[in-house]
């Protein structure tokens, strides 16, 4: 099962902080989108037809979320004791946090996509 | 049977004697109010919040009576405004949030196998602040001085002193005071969950209630401070005429709406998640199996917490914001449905997979979920902007919000009441009365609020004190009123049930056969120690899965079974893996928390009546009380390094830095402080984006760059000096550290002086325009923080000189360094904003 888990990813420790990386990324992206839209609408009067800055921000956010989800997925497969994986051991705690992080990256991914959609469909400031 | 010290019954009895003595509550008519133990304070807190709920409910009944028939004149329009404002504000601020804190203070230590939360005196302080502030706010209606601007207090009607009386000040200042106590409780609960778990209870074994509490408390930390920032601006406008929300002088009423709803929407989840947490405790008990999908619940809690901060603008769909911004918030509103749904499905699945025992608590739980789901569906409807443009501010919204609040908060709490009453009192409540009450509440709620969907769509606006007969909604309203009375009767049945409880016999321990830790202790006997000993936990449901668990706890076979030194103690563990770190000594009963909250209450209440000098005196009294409390009650150097907690483990009695609860409390408090600050900074940039005359012609040079940069330099230098002092001190350089602290005081003083000199020497008049007003606000905020830094460094210096801080025992200097990190950040942002930004923009 170790195949595919690069050394650096295995060395990364899972903590409460890593758990909130995906949703924090969503939050930053959300705030960025909102500020970007309201500032460009208020100060420029309209936003660009091809919003490059917005595109870069969104792709960046998706990459961060996907990466942390991928790392979490790898870590959630750390071999250890038998299922149901709910004992007071290092491995079970690691797997639990990794799995929760994975779920959260799924949710955050959807959240970021949801946030990006209006730009595609609305595309002006009215 | 192995030979174990605890096999000796004599020893066990002696231990129990000592523990009982140490944890004995203060007796006597007067002294008992100095208690700080969570089992007392928690009960007071719960009862007080319950009483406020009943009071707010009576206000609702009066309103419903007035609305029973068209053109009714039971109460005047003016009184009606006070009624709905106070009803809504009390339900949200004096019932829903405090109730969650009260219940958590009551049951969290048990749930975590701790003797008490880490800062019992802080809980007591929170309680007294809540009581004083709550009585102040709710009592105002008897003097015809209650706030009347609606629970969201939209300016400019509420900021103009000619249009609104004292009520608005009472709302702002009274509730700000309560918000302070909410933040205090949040700090206590976060540190409790992170640091006071029993050995072995790693994050993946934590009871779900604790997960939710952690999440909700963190949400409070990020939701309440923006409102506090808003309150500050609001009162500056009302008391000092600084025009933040006055459009004629460059202000903007929308800023208030932003700050209010950045708080207001998460608030809905802040009061809903704890109810779900109660379900997460009682569903497994009655399904007789572990909850399915533990990580899914964590996903749901954390996910909801985050997403709920991206929803605030859905309350502002009709304010004319650009559609593109609305769309972002609409999208987030739809996304939050995912985690909310996950939780409900986890419960359904667990019940499905288990052998369900139908009981009164479960009945309440499932009934409230049914109500909540209806509210959730109409919630999705109003999250769609075009529908909201139709339904906004009609009774449709009143129906929606009450379905959510009654299904998501009130009824779940009744479920929790029936479930946990035996844990607190040892007695069960009546099943028959409980079920009767449930059906009355269930039918009553639907009869009250379902017709409101239609009266809303028929065109009945909310917050009207009467309506004409021609509208044809008399029948619907009559039904609502009858429903409200039925609902109230149901609540009365519950009150009767509670009142009968003292006469009932004590039942058996753990009557529901639950598997979680809070049921370990026997409420029947008169012990107040929390747990007989701190257990070793290796399972999510130790009472079910760990062999002889209760017996071992009873016999003191786990950790810390004794109180040899006659001190109240509990174990502190690591955040992730709950490895034991140290034993901490807890605060004992004291009047200091109560007196501190009286003094602080004086500041808020006297300001309401414009008695500024008296308020200032109270401010100094508060400061003095806090210093006295800290000096005598915290970071005490223990009489010995370590103490054994059993099983051959020795733990230190003193820790500092990030392993100590005090450090965490400081860190968490500063997160709240930084959030409030970002609310103010948001204000500055909000004005800048929305108004082309910000900064206005002629003022754009002020306050210049020089003074802000000097202030920034001073603050950063004092930060660097503090960090240096901490390092030097840890290496034994006590004298050098003292010198550095003195230098830090001087540099912070530079920060205070230069920070204020900028706007002052530029002659900025805060009453003239919103630009000088917000610049002044940021400058004063930061200068005040530099002032607090001076006090903290002085305090640390004094501790060092008094021999209460040594290189080994250095909690004070480590804690103030945390403060200084945040101060440095604040100073950089403030002075860059007011000094450099006008140059760039
Ligand atoms: C059966 C119990 C209840 C009844 C009969 C009731 C009745 C009412 C009525 C008549 C209004 C005024 C609506 C308007 O004119 O706009 C109102 C508003 C409100 N209620 Fe309730 N209520 C009940 C329970 C609750 C609960 C449990 C909560 C919260 C936990 C709550 C929170 C609110 C809020 C926030 C408002 C808005 C106040 C405002 O518009 O400023 N209510 N309620
Ligand atoms: Cu909302």
């Amino acid at each position: 099962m170790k195949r595919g888990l690069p050394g650096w990813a295995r060395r990364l420790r899972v903590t409460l902080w890593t758990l909130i990386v995906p949703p924090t990324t969503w939050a930053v992206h959300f705030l960025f989108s909102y500020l970007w839209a309201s500032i460009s609408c208020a100060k420029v009067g309209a936003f660009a037809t091809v919003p490059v800055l917005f595109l870069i921000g969104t792709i960046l956010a998706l990459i961060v979320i996907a990466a942390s989800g991928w790392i979490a997925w790898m870590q959630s497969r750390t071999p250890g004791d038998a299922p149901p994986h709910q004992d007071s051991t290092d491995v079970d705690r690691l797997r639990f946090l990794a799995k929760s992080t994975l779920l959260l990256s799924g949710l955050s991914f959807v959240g970021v996509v949801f946030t990006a959609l209006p730009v595609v469909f609305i595309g002006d400031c009215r | 049977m192995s030979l174990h010290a605890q096999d000796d019954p004599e020893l066990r009895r002696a231990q129990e004697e000592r523990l009982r003595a140490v944890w004995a509550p203060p007796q006597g008519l007067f002294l008992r109010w100095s208690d700080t133990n969570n089992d007392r304070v928690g009960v007071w807190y719960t009862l007080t919040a319950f009483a406020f709920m009943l009071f707010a409910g009576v206000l609702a009944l009066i309103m419903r009576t007035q609305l029973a028939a068209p053109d009714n004149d039971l109460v005047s329009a003016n009184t009606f405004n006070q009624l709905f404002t106070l009803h809504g504000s009390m339900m949200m601020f004096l019932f829903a949030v405090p109730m969650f804190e009260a219940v958590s203070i009551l049951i969290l230590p048990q749930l975590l196998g701790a003797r008490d939360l880490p800062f019992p005196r802080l809980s007591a302080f929170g309680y007294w602040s809540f009581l004083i502030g709550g009585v102040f706010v709710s009592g105002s209606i008897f003097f015809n001085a209650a706030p009347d601007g609606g629970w969201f207090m939209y300016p400019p009607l509420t900021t103009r002193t000619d249009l609104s009386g004292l009520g608005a000040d009472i709302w702002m200042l009274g509730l700000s005071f309560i918000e302070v106590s909410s933040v205090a409780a949040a700090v206590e609960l976060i540190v409790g969950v992170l640091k006071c778990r029993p050995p072995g209870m790693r994050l993946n074994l934590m009871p779900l209630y604790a997960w939710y509490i952690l999440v909700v408390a963190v949400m409070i930390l990020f939701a309440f401070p923006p409102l506090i920032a808003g309150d500050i601006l609001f009162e500056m406008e009302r008391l000092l005429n600084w025009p933040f929300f006055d459009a004629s002088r460059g202000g903007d009423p929308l800023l208030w709406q932003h700050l209010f709803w950045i708080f207001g929407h998460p608030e809905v989840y802040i009061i809903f998640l704890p109810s779900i947490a109660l379900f997460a405790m009682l569903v497994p008990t009655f399904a007789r199996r572990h909850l399915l999908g533990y990580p899914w619940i964590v996903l749901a809690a954390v996910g909801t917490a985050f997403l709920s901060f991206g929803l605030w603008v859905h309350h502002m769909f009709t304010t004319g914001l650009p559609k593109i911004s609305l769309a972002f918030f609409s999208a987030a509103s739809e996304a939050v449905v995912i985690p909310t749904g996950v939780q409900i499905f986890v419960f359904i699945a667990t019940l499905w997979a288990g052998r369900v025992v139908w009981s009164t608590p479960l009945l309440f739980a499932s009934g409230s979920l049914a109500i909540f789901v209806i509210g959730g569906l109409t919630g999705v409807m109003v999250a769609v902007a075009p529908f909201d443009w139709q339904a906004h501010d009609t009774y449709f919204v009143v129906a929606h919000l009450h379905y959510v609040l009654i299904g998501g908060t009130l009824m779940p709490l009744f479920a929790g009441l029936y479930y946990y009453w035996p844990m607190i009192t040892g007695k069960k409540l009546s099943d028959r009365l409980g079920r009767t009450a449930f059906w009355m509440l269930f039918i009553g709620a639907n009869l009250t609020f379902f017709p409101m969907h239609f009266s809303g769509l028929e065109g009945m606006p909310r917050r009207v004190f009467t309506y004409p007969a021609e509208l044809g909604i008399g029948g619907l309203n009559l039904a609502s009123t009858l429903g409200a009375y039925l609902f109230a009767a149901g609540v009365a049945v519950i009150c009767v049930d509670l009142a009968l409880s003292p006469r009932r016999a004590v039942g058996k321990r753990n009557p529901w056969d639950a598997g979680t830790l809070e049921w370990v202790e026997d409420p029947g006997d008169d012990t107040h120690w929390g747990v007989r000993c701190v257990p070793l936990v290796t399972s999510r449901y130790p009472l079910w899965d760990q062999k002889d668990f209760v017996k071992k706890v009873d016999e003191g076979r786990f950790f810390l079974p004794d109180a040899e030194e006659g001190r109240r103690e509990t174990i502190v563990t690591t955040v992730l893996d709950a490895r034991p770190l140290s034993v901490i000594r807890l605060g004992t009963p004291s009047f200091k928390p109560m007196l501190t909250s009286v003094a602080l209450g004086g500041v808020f209440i006297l300001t309401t009546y414009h008695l500024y000098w008296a308020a200032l005196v109270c401010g100094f009294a508060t400061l003095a009380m806090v210093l006295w409390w800290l000096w005598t009650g915290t970071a005490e150097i223990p009489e010995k390094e370590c103490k054994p907690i059993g099983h051959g483990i020795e733990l230190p009695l003193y820790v500092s830095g990030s392993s100590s609860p005090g450090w965490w409390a400081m860190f968490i408090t500063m997160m709240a402080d930084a959030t409030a600050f970002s609310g103010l900074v948001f204000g500055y940039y909000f004005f800048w984006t929305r108004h082309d005359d910000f900064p206005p012609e002629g003022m754009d040079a002020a306050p210049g760059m020089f003074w802000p940069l000097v202030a920034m330099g001073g603050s950063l230098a004092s930060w660097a000096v503090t960090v240096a002092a901490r390092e030097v001190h840890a290496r034994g350089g006590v004298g050098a550290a003292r010198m550095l602290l003195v230098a830090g005081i001087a540099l912070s003083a530079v920060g205070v002086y230069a920070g204020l000199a900028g706007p002052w020497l530029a002659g900025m008049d805060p009453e003239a325009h919103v630009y000088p007003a917000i610049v002044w606000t940021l400058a004063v905020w930061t200068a005040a923080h530099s002032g607090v830094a001076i006090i903290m460094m002085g305090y640390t210096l004094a501790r060092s000189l008094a021999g209460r801080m040594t290189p080994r025992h250095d909690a004070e200097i480590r804690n103030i360094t945390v403060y200084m990190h945040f101060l440095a950040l604040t100073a950089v942002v403030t002075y860059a904003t007011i000094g450099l930004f006008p140059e760039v923009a």
Side-chain angles (χ1 to χ4, degrees), chain A residues 43 86 88 90 93 115 126, chain B residues 200 202 323 540 577 688:
Chain A
K43 292 286 162 185
Q86 45 187 29
S88 180
D90 282 340
R93 197 264 293 146
T115 310
R126 259 173 305 130
Chain B
R202 298 175 190 246
K323 279 203 197 63
R540 282 182 198 153
D577 290 329
W688 173 74

Side-chain angles (χ1 to χ4, degrees), chain B residues 261 264-269 308 311-315 333 382 400:
Chain B
W261 289 114
H265 189 83
E267 156 89 347
V268 177
Y269 287 91
S308 68
L311 310 189
W312 81 86
V313 168
H314 73 200
H315 297 270
S333 304
V382 288
H400 155 70

Side-chain angles (χ1 to χ4, degrees), chain B residues 60 63-64 80 84 87-88 91-92 95 150-151 395 398 401-402 405-406 410 448-449 462-464 484 487:
Chain B
M63 274 192 286
R64 273 316 329 166
F80 194 86
F84 71 69
H87 162 76
M91 283 291 187
M92 302 304 259
F95 163 62
W151 89 287
Y395 258 74
V398 180
L401 84 93
H402 283 90
L405 291 171
I406 290 192
L410 194 62
T448 314
F449 297 109
R462 69 191 283 201
R463 296 176 168 178
V464 287
F487 193 91

Side-chain angles (χ1 to χ4, degrees), chain B residues 108-120:
Chain B
L108 194 61
Q110 304 272 61
L111 209 62
L112 298 179
R115 290 250 159 80
D116 201 335
L117 291 171
F119 314 109

